[in-house]
Structures are given as C-alpha cells and as structure tokens.
Amino acid sequence: MPGVTAKLVSSGAITPHREISLCAFPLRLGRCVRDGISIDDRWVSREHCEIDRQDNRLVIRDLGSKHGTYVNGRAIQSAPLSSGDEVSLGLTRFVVDEAAEADDSHEILGVRLHSNWRASRVPADAQNL
C-alpha cells in the first residue's frame, strides 16, 4: 500500500476533528459522492470538488458547486495546494498537511480503515438488527 503523501485536517470551531489521507487520486469530496469522501455539510454540493496530483503537486478543482470551493479565502475554479493552505467547502474547513507521515490507514466515506482490519460478510440473519 503506498504511503500517505498528504492529508486534510479539519479546522474551525464548528467542524468536528477529522483527518483525510490523500493517497489515491483523483479524490472527490462532496455531500453524496460515490467513490470519494463524504462531507456532512448541507452547504456542500453532492460532488463539490476534486483533489488530484499533477506534476508531483496537489491541485484542487471545483466541480461546479453551488457555493464554491475556497483556498485561503479565495474562490477558485482550480488551484495548486501547499502545506498550510486552508480549503473551505461550505461551512467545512480543512488545512492541508503535506508533511503527513505514511501510515497504514485510509478514510473512506468518513470511516478510518486500518490495513489490519478485515472486511467480512454480515450473516443474513444479522442484517436486520
């Protein structure tokens, strides 16, 4: 599994603590993304923005969101990201941490998964509990 090259760390008084490892690109963020990170914020569009790595640099791109994507307080369509930049989606704020050390976990849809966890099937009779 490749090491984490960066992460988004939530900031702000109304944002619960959250760390999102950036290790698979492109990574979509939004309220209802299928393959990406889900953000529970009514001001965030279903598919709000995308973070990608281009020329060994992080780049964020707005996906036509209703309320915009902001980097360091400026509305962007596309912008490079550096360590310490603040990314704002709706009322949710993250700070970019490119000095993130490699770890053995990933966050998928708001759940932090560790490499030593195993997915298992739930028995049919236990699904309705």
Side-chain angles (χ1 to χ4, degrees):
M1 174 181 330
V4 177
T5 58
K7 62 184 173 181
L8 297 178
V9 180
S10 62
S11 67
I14 63 172
T15 306
H17 181 74
R18 185 172 183 188
E19 293 184 8
I20 300 172
S21 299
L22 303 177
C23 54
F25 301 99
L27 176 66
R28 288 196 174 206
L29 291 91
R31 202 175 68 249
C32 298
V33 291
R34 218 179 262 182
D35 297 317
I37 301 298
S38 180
I39 298 174
D40 185 20
D41 179 336
R42 69 182 228 170
W43 299 102
V44 171
S45 295
R46 288 175 188 246
E47 291 197 351
H48 198 97
C49 67
E50 179 176 83
I51 297 176
D52 205 353
R53 184 168 285 283
Q54 297 175 354
D55 298 325
N56 206 28
R57 197 156 184 202
L58 292 175
V59 176
I60 189 168
R61 181 172 60 94
D62 186 81
L63 297 174
S65 66
K66 183 174 183 180
H67 298 288
T69 299
Y70 293 80
V71 175
N72 298 325
R74 290 187 29 201
I76 59 97
Q77 291 301 313
S78 180
L81 291 175
S82 299
S83 194
D85 284 347
E86 182 182 72
V87 175
S88 303
L89 316 172
L91 299 176
T92 303
R93 310 275 183 270
F94 293 102
V95 174
V96 178
D97 180 4
E98 284 192 293
E101 294 183 19
D103 66 14
D104 64 349
S105 63
H106 296 281
E107 180 172 322
I108 300 173
L109 301 177
V111 177
R112 194 154 179 85
L113 301 176
H114 297 271
S115 63
N116 61 345
W117 291 6
R118 298 183 199 269
S120 61
R121 295 185 66 176
V122 176
D125 59 338
Q127 290 180 357
N128 294 326
L129 295 179

